[in-house]
Amino acid sequence: METISIGQYDLIYNVFSFTFAAMMAATLFFWFGRSQVSDAYKTAMTVTGLVTFVAAYHYLRISQSWAEAYTAANGVVTASPIGFNDAYRYVDWFLTVPLLLVELILVMGLSRKETSSKAIRLGLLAALMVGLGYPGEIADAASGRWLWGGLSMIPFLWIVYELFVGLSRSVAQQPESARGLVKAAIWVTVLSWSFYPVVFFAGAVGLEGTTALTVVQVGYTIADLVAKAGFGVLIFLIAVRKSEADMGRAQTA
Amino acid sequence: METISIGQYDLIYNVFSFTFAAMMAATLFFWFGRSQVSDAYKTAMTVTGLVTFVAAYHYLRISQSWAEAYTAANGVVTASPIGFNDAYRYVDWFLTVPLLLVELILVMGLSRKETSSKAIRLGLLAALMVGLGYPGEIADAASGRWLWGGLSMIPFLWIVYELFVGLSRSVAQQPESARGLVKAAIWVTVLSWSFYPVVFFAGAVGLEGTTALTVVQVGYTIADLVAKAGFGVLIFLIAVRKSEADMGRAQTA
């Protein structure tokens, strides 16, 4: 039976509990922020809060599943017959990753036609990316992880291309006060998302045991915090700056 | 097996339950307060409520963990095999202590550049301070407590210096009606925060047993109430006075 040290068990539990609290705090911050941006960016703030809300729900479930998967008593941790349900992460990503791209597109304030075409295309690519990754995550053999992980990289690279090339013209149309933040939001997306395949393929190059488990769980969690809560703060700041710029234009018009 | 008197057990449990209620009440007070301050201070009120909201969540968890860690039956309290998870405090502080500095900076209404540079610098120092304290809290030997506690004091003293010296010029720029309150908020921060190392080092000078446990748990809790809910009331009063001063200036302009 797999054993895990009490230090590792506690660290992972506390990281999950921290992340639930941080995601709920972020959610409320974004939803309160709705009243501080102009009407054009309210939907972006709603969606930004939905992403962290759904993540908070999943981290609550993940921490409960973690608590049930092991029995900690008298300083010794034993695996219980109920396994840890790691699928909560994929269920979460299937819903939140498309929405992360939607919030970025919404805050950019493109034309209605561009907004819907980009949101549908990037949203479907993101769902496809997550859906293709899951069979690799649960594959018994390393070959399965390489196959599905490799397939999942195709929509991932397509999204990266769209973000840098497809959105670059739209970045130039942003008000000057928000342009740096929009670029930062694109970079945060690409860099924080790149962290997931690193953790994913760590399992294919033979990283095993409880240290690997700790690295994977803590790694995915930090990536989620940056990609959802940290990214959301950027979306809020962009929405505030653009609301100010729109008001300034309205006054001088 | 560690024993604790029923009086001490009940006192600590009731203090935790009281603090959950007080933090939730404070949270709702601060969020209702958002509508009573001008737009410039709404984010400060949002963050003030987030701090007590996150603290309320952790006190709920702490009180549950306390209930599970002991079995009270027939007037005798026995430690259960499941230990008390004291790490919830550090998880809470890691999130709330940086936010406490952010709410103070936000309510001062500095320039955008100063706000972001001070918020990032002080926030990182606060996270570092909490992160360095934790290995000391769980250290088996007193030497570990002295080492990590000592390291943690470096960012702490840096923050104190920034609050008194770095923010003093900004205090002079506050409207007269709010200046005394801003000074009070800085003093409350420094004094209430100074209480934590006192409790922390009590464990390094040989304070042990269930009386020490009671002093530590009740001590940290009182410090949390002053530093988060009490401090938050000052932030609200500052935001109200500054909103009034801004309106006065707008009317005479």
Side-chain angles (χ1 to χ4, degrees), chain A residues 13-15 17-18 20-22 24-26 28-29 32-33 35-36 60 63 72-75 177 236 240-241 244, chain B residues 1 31 34 39 42-43 46-47 50 53-54 57-58 61 80-83 85 87-88 91-92 94-95 99 112 134:
Chain A
Y13 179 83
N14 291 323
V15 165
S17 176
F18 169 85
F20 167 73
M24 271 313 294
L28 292 162
F29 180 82
F32 278 122
S35 70
Q36 289 159 265
L60 187 66
S63 71
N74 300 320
S177 61
F236 171 66
V240 168
R241 301 272 174 100
E244 285 168 1
Chain B
M1 191 172 285
W31 286 342
R34 285 182 82 253
D39 284 356
K42 285 200 197 308
T43 308
T46 305
V47 175
L50 285 180
F53 174 75
V54 170
Y57 163 73
H58 283 115
R61 288 291 206 178
S80 82
I82 307 160
N85 184 6
Y88 282 128
V91 170
D92 177 80
F94 197 68
L95 193 53
L99 290 177
R112 190 162 272 177
Y134 185 62

Side-chain angles (χ1 to χ4, degrees), chain B residues 42-67:
Chain B
K42 285 200 197 308
T43 308
M45 291 317 301
T46 305
V47 175
T48 304
L50 285 180
V51 166
T52 48
F53 174 75
V54 170
Y57 163 73
H58 283 115
Y59 273 95
L60 188 65
R61 288 291 206 178
I62 285 173
S63 70
Q64 286 170 339
S65 175
W66 184 254

Side-chain angles (χ1 to χ4, degrees), chain B residues 2 25 37 44-45 80-81 90 94 107 136 144 147 153 158 188 239 241:
Chain B
E2 198 188 5
V37 302
M45 291 317 301
S80 82
Y90 279 82
F94 197 68
V107 87
L147 172 70
M153 290 305 286
W158 191 347
V188 165
R241 300 272 176 95

Side-chain angles (χ1 to χ4, degrees), chain A residues 97-216:
Chain A
V97 175
L99 290 178
L100 279 170
L101 293 171
V102 168
E103 67 187 75
L104 179 62
I105 293 161
L106 283 174
V107 87
M108 292 189 73
L110 312 175
S111 73
R112 192 161 272 177
K113 206 179 135 195
E114 266 191 303
T115 299
S116 67
S117 75
K118 278 191 200 298
I120 291 171
R121 194 167 63 250
L122 288 174
L124 286 176
L125 282 170
L128 187 67
M129 172 180 81
V130 175
L132 286 171
Y134 185 63
E137 186 78 52
I138 57 166
D140 290 325
S143 60
R145 194 167 270 260
W146 284 114
L147 171 70
W148 293 105
L151 288 174
S152 172
M153 290 305 286
I154 299 167
F156 174 72
L157 292 174
W158 191 345
I159 292 168
V160 171
Y161 173 81
E162 287 258 358
L163 288 178
F164 281 118
V165 181
L167 283 182
S168 67
R169 199 163 35 94
S170 315
V171 172
Q173 289 162 2
Q174 300 297 310
E176 215 196 310
S177 61
R179 217 170 289 157
L181 285 166
V182 172
K183 278 185 200 157
I186 292 174
W187 273 104
V188 165
T189 304
V190 173
L191 291 180
S192 65
W193 289 25
S194 297
F195 194 71
Y196 295 91
V198 171
V199 177
F200 181 93
F201 286 115
V205 293
L207 192 63
E208 273 182 357
T210 57
T211 306
L213 178 71
T214 309
V215 169
V216 167

Side-chain angles (χ1 to χ4, degrees), chain B residues 14 53 57 68 79 82 126 132 152 171-173 186 190 194-195 200 228 233 237 242:
Chain B
N14 291 322
F53 174 75
Y57 163 73
E68 280 172 10
I82 307 160
L132 286 171
S152 173
V171 172
Q173 289 162 1
I186 291 174
V190 173
S194 298
F195 194 70
F200 181 93
K228 294 180 166 100
V233 172
L237 293 175
K242 290 187 73 175

Side-chain angles (χ1 to χ4, degrees), chain B residues 4-242:
Chain B
I4 184 167
S5 83
I6 187 123
Q8 287 172 330
Y9 174 81
D10 281 349
L11 174 69
I12 293 175
Y13 181 81
N14 291 322
V15 164
F16 290 161
S17 177
F18 169 84
T19 306
F20 166 72
M23 292 291 190
M24 270 315 294
T27 302
L28 293 164
F29 180 80
F30 300 141
W31 286 342
F32 281 122
R34 285 182 82 253
S35 68
Q36 290 159 265
V37 302
S38 61
D39 284 356
Y41 310 110
K42 285 200 197 308
T43 308
M45 291 317 301
T46 305
V47 175
T48 304
L50 285 180
V51 166
T52 48
F53 174 75
V54 170
Y57 163 73
H58 283 115
Y59 273 95
L60 188 65
R61 288 291 206 178
I62 285 173
S63 70
Q64 286 170 339
S65 175
W66 184 254
E68 280 172 10
Y70 295 91
T71 313
N74 302 319
V76 178
V77 182
T78 325
S80 82
I82 307 160
F84 175 55
N85 184 6
D86 211 13
Y88 282 128
R89 291 199 181 281
Y90 279 82
V91 170
D92 177 80
W93 295 336
F94 197 68
L95 193 53
T96 57
V97 175
L99 290 177
L100 280 170
L101 294 171
V102 168
E103 67 187 75
L104 179 62
I105 292 161
L106 284 174
V107 87
M108 291 187 75
L110 311 175
S111 72
R112 190 162 272 177
K113 210 179 133 193
E114 267 191 300
T115 299
S116 68
S117 76
K118 278 192 202 298
I120 291 170
R121 194 167 63 250
L122 289 174
L124 287 177
L125 283 170
L128 187 68
M129 173 179 80
V130 174
L132 286 171
Y134 185 62
E137 186 78 51
I138 57 165
D140 290 325
S143 60
R145 195 167 269 261
W146 283 114
L147 172 70
W148 292 105
L151 288 174
S152 173
M153 290 305 286
I154 299 168
F156 174 71
L157 292 174
W158 191 347
I159 291 169
V160 171
Y161 172 80
E162 287 257 358
L163 287 178
F164 281 120
V165 180
L167 282 183
S168 66
R169 199 164 34 96
S170 314
V171 172
Q173 289 162 1
Q174 300 297 310
E176 216 196 308
S177 61
R179 217 170 289 157
L181 285 167
V182 172
K183 279 186 200 157
I186 291 174
W187 274 103
V188 165
T189 304
V190 173
L191 291 180
S192 65
W193 289 25
S194 298
F195 194 70
Y196 295 92
V198 171
V199 177
F200 181 93
F201 286 114
V205 294
L207 192 62
E208 274 181 355
T210 57
T211 306
L213 179 71
T214 310
V215 169
V216 167
Q217 292 305 329
V218 175
Y220 276 151
T221 305
I222 294 170
D224 273 352
L225 282 166
V226 174
K228 294 180 166 100
F231 177 76
V233 172
L234 286 176
I235 298 291
F236 171 65
L237 293 175
I238 293 166
V240 169
R241 300 272 176 95
K242 290 187 73 175

